[in-house]
Amino acid sequence: MEFKKEIQESLKDYFKANFGVDIPNISISQINPDFRHLGDYAFNFNALRKIAKEHNADLKEIVLTVASTILAKQEGEAVESIRAQFAATDLDKGFINLKFSDQFWAKQLQSKIASGKVTSIAPKAGKVVLEYCGPNTNKPLHIGHLRNMMLGFSMSEVLKADGYDVTKVNIYNDRGIAICKSIAAYLHAGNGATPQSTGIKGDHFVGDYYVEFGKIVDAQLREKYALGAEVENVAKHLGKEREVIEQETPIFALAKDLLLKWEAGDAETIALWQKMNGWVYEGFNETFNTLGVDFEKDYFESDTYKLGKEIIELGLQKNVFKRRADGAVIIDLTPDGLDEKVVLRSDGTSVYITQDLGTAELRHNEFNMDRMIYVVGNEQDYHFKVLKLTLQKLGYQWADGIYHLSYGMVESPTGRFKSREGKTADADDLIAEVLRIAEERTKEQGKIDDFTNDEAKALYKTIGLGALKFFLLRVNPYKKIIFNPEESIDFHGQTGPFVQYTYARICSIIRKAAITPDSINVQTNLQGVERQIIQQLCEYENVIADASNKYDPSEIANYAYNLAKLYNKFYGELKILSADTDAEKHLRLTISQATANTIKHAMKLLGIDVPEKM
RNA sequence: GGUCCCGUAGCUCAGCUGGAUAGAGCAACAGAUUUCUAAUCUGUGGGUCACAGGUUCGAAUCCUGUCGGGAUCACCA
């Protein structure tokens, strides 16, 4: 909407020309609902009061002058009235309300439907690499990954909609002691079983052996210390941390041995590691497919974990890094309010940040991107601060484009999800549960008797995932989410199915209309709710830009919900197919179509499908 | 202990680049279906915006402090 800029510029020009001062942008927003009778948009100019006072000028007059200039520019057609409203005291308020004519809004709607596009955002220069998911291969995906994947996928869609070129990448933490524990337990207790032979999904299969590893540790400790069944917590009973005491067991020795063999490139070990990871990837891919998330490129820690050594060398040369007396290489970030950080161990091996430095550089060489976004939980805020700052100190310009899309933990009502709390946090179980609830509720409704079995199943998936995804995305990323499986999956109110239902309703009307409204009579008078919807539709691209700039898909979710709510109000208040006049019918059908298009588009940005019937 | 994040209705959340009387959903209660999908709509009740100062014509929003919750401060990842 051009007029916002116009007003801002006019005010700026005025102050520059008459007083020689630069003023900040005055924000112009949709009017507060209670003042809708006064206009469509409002802005408050009190911020300029000080400047006016300094120059002994009457602010009220200035603003009115600017307002009438703008009004004149609109050639009397679009802007119905620009009224300045002043309270009795003049100082308390100071709003200008802008009201556009019905014709103006009708034309906005018409151009939307004529272009067939819901936004007119043009492609922008700017290559973005977005990393998300980042699973460990020793256990299945859990609810935290679900939030991560929803955020990552949606964020990439939002950035694309905002005109950027986005490449989605995943990184698999596929090496290290954790996966070796699964392998060790498999060797110990697997008896050659496979996901195929057991019918267990590959990632769960391998994850089960990770759990099994813990049980074997327990059993071996019980044997070693001759503990009876009355001892519940072995590590606690022995008065040591689990991570410490487990090192005494033969099974741990096996895992450690496997790790050393793996690092030495032992063919047999690597073959087994590849086989088990292969099962895991099969399982992950199944879940990715169900969720509809994807990646253009996969990275594997086993390929990248040795990266970064050259950067260490460079950093030493540039005196950004220092070699400590014990041989470890460090960066001193205390001047920046952070700590001293080891970037290379004294034995010359990498730490976590070493490979992240190397991987970042690798990606820059591959993609030459302007921005790199990491979707990672907020427990790593500090790590990414250090990573970005270190790369900046090394003189990499592109490091300025690093952004950590940090998100809060997903917690159960009783606190953090722990794996021992059982199945509630498992991603696949959660998805299955949500589909089950969707099926149950849909059957209660009894509206899809004409569906085939496949169609019904597809619908359960659309609705169930819609509920889950919307739940995870409608909250600001930085906030933690309390997830109660019993209560969180809802289909009423501020939910995905509510928005989906609205879409299905519109589709139903359009099916019955049997006409395609290709043009509307722009002279038609608009009802209040009609104006509101059209205005809301026009706001959509601003919302995309906001969500993109703030890295916040929840803005899209809230917008989609509000638009759907507004449409339901419209639906309840006005007749569409049986409107009094043809002109009204065409108008309302057009509003319906444009709303459906926008809802579908917005939900797609959230990774959520919309059904034509439900 | 240092640093960072959070605290808005019983619950889950919007609003936070300062602006008009702080908004939604859920839950509770009361209504609406001879008419386009009632997974909907309309209405009622519900608030010391954690607390205390400060800046300002104006503060949920900015600053300082306090309290409460969480994260982090590894030669783990």
Side-chain angles (χ1 to χ4, degrees), chain A residues 301-369:
Chain A
E301 198 202 345
S302 52
D303 293 329
T304 61
Y305 81 110
K306 285 183 174 166
L307 291 177
K309 299 270 179 78
E310 299 80 9
I311 293 184
I312 303 302
E313 215 38 59
L314 179 77
L316 283 167
Q317 278 167 26
K318 288 191 168 185
N319 279 324
V320 175
F321 298 155
K322 278 180 255 174
R323 196 176 289 280
R324 225 162 43 185
D326 61 6
V329 179
I330 58 113
I331 181 167
D332 182 12
L333 296 173
T334 49
D336 300 277
L338 303 177
D339 299 294
E340 197 174 83
K341 182 86 188 165
V342 170
V343 293
L344 194 72
R345 291 198 188 101
S346 49
D347 64 3
T349 59
S350 299
V351 288
Y352 181 38
I353 196 145
T354 321
Q355 60 171 301
D356 268 7
L357 291 168
T359 306
E361 192 193 29
L362 172 70
R363 285 186 194 158
H364 182 257
N365 292 340
E366 286 177 330
F367 295 106
N368 192 29
M369 67 278 180

Side-chain angles (χ1 to χ4, degrees), chain A residues 159-208:
Chain A
L159 288 164
K160 285 183 204 167
D162 197 29
Y164 295 101
D165 175 13
V166 184
T167 303
K168 288 170 281 186
V169 305
N170 194 359
I171 177 135
Y172 293 95
N173 302 302
D174 62 340
R175 61 163 287 280
I177 190 66
I179 184 69
C180 287
K181 285 180 180 177
S182 284
I183 299 173
Y186 182 68
L187 286 173
H188 187 269
N191 293 320
T194 66
Q196 290 74 30
S197 74
T198 55
I200 299 172
K201 191 163 165 281
D203 50 336
H204 290 261
F205 181 87
V206 174
D208 287 347

Side-chain angles (χ1 to χ4, degrees), chain A residues 138-333:
Chain A
N138 63 307
K139 45 190 166 189
L141 303 165
H142 57 80
I143 190 167
H145 290 110
L146 284 178
R147 188 176 196 190
N148 182 307
M149 289 188 278
M150 293 310 108
L151 271 175
F153 182 84
S154 178
M155 198 60 237
S156 83
E157 291 297 305
V158 169
L159 288 164
K160 285 183 204 167
D162 197 29
Y164 295 101
D165 175 13
V166 184
T167 303
K168 288 170 281 186
V169 305
N170 194 359
I171 177 135
Y172 293 95
N173 302 302
D174 62 340
R175 61 163 287 280
I177 190 66
I179 184 69
C180 287
K181 285 180 180 177
S182 284
I183 299 173
Y186 182 68
L187 286 173
H188 187 269
N191 293 320
T194 66
Q196 290 74 30
S197 74
T198 55
I200 299 172
K201 191 163 165 281
D203 50 336
H204 290 261
F205 181 87
V206 174
D208 287 347
Y209 283 101
Y210 188 73
V211 174
E212 183 64 26
F213 178 88
K215 290 183 186 160
I216 300 168
V217 166
D218 266 16
Q220 293 182 343
L221 286 173
R222 280 177 197 280
E223 194 182 327
K224 178 172 175 182
Y225 291 99
L227 301 175
E230 75 282 358
V231 176
E232 266 185 43
N233 187 327
V234 177
K236 203 172 172 184
H237 180 82
L238 297 170
K240 288 194 182 166
E241 294 289 326
R242 197 175 172 79
E243 293 75 37
V244 176
I245 194 89
E246 73 176 9
Q247 297 185 14
E248 297 179 6
T249 61
I251 190 74
F252 184 87
L254 178 58
K256 186 83 190 171
D257 184 52
L258 285 164
L259 182 62
L260 291 172
K261 279 183 176 164
W262 184 91
E263 283 176 355
D266 174 67
E268 202 179 321
T269 307
I270 287 187
L272 185 55
W273 167 79
Q274 274 173 340
K275 185 162 85 173
M276 291 186 72
N277 271 341
W279 292 333
V280 172
Y281 299 138
E282 275 175 32
F284 283 171
N285 284 333
E286 201 181 315
T287 307
F288 296 159
N289 282 334
T290 303
L291 290 171
V293 302
D294 57 1
F295 307 92
E296 272 89 43
K297 174 151 188 162
D298 291 330
Y299 289 88
F300 298 90
E301 198 202 345
S302 52
D303 293 329
T304 61
Y305 81 110
K306 285 183 174 166
L307 291 177
K309 299 270 179 78
E310 299 80 9
I311 293 184
I312 303 302
E313 215 38 59
L314 179 77
L316 283 167
Q317 278 167 26
K318 288 191 168 185
N319 279 324
V320 175
F321 298 155
K322 278 180 255 174
R323 196 176 289 280
R324 225 162 43 185
D326 61 6
V329 179
I330 58 113
I331 181 167
D332 182 12
L333 296 173

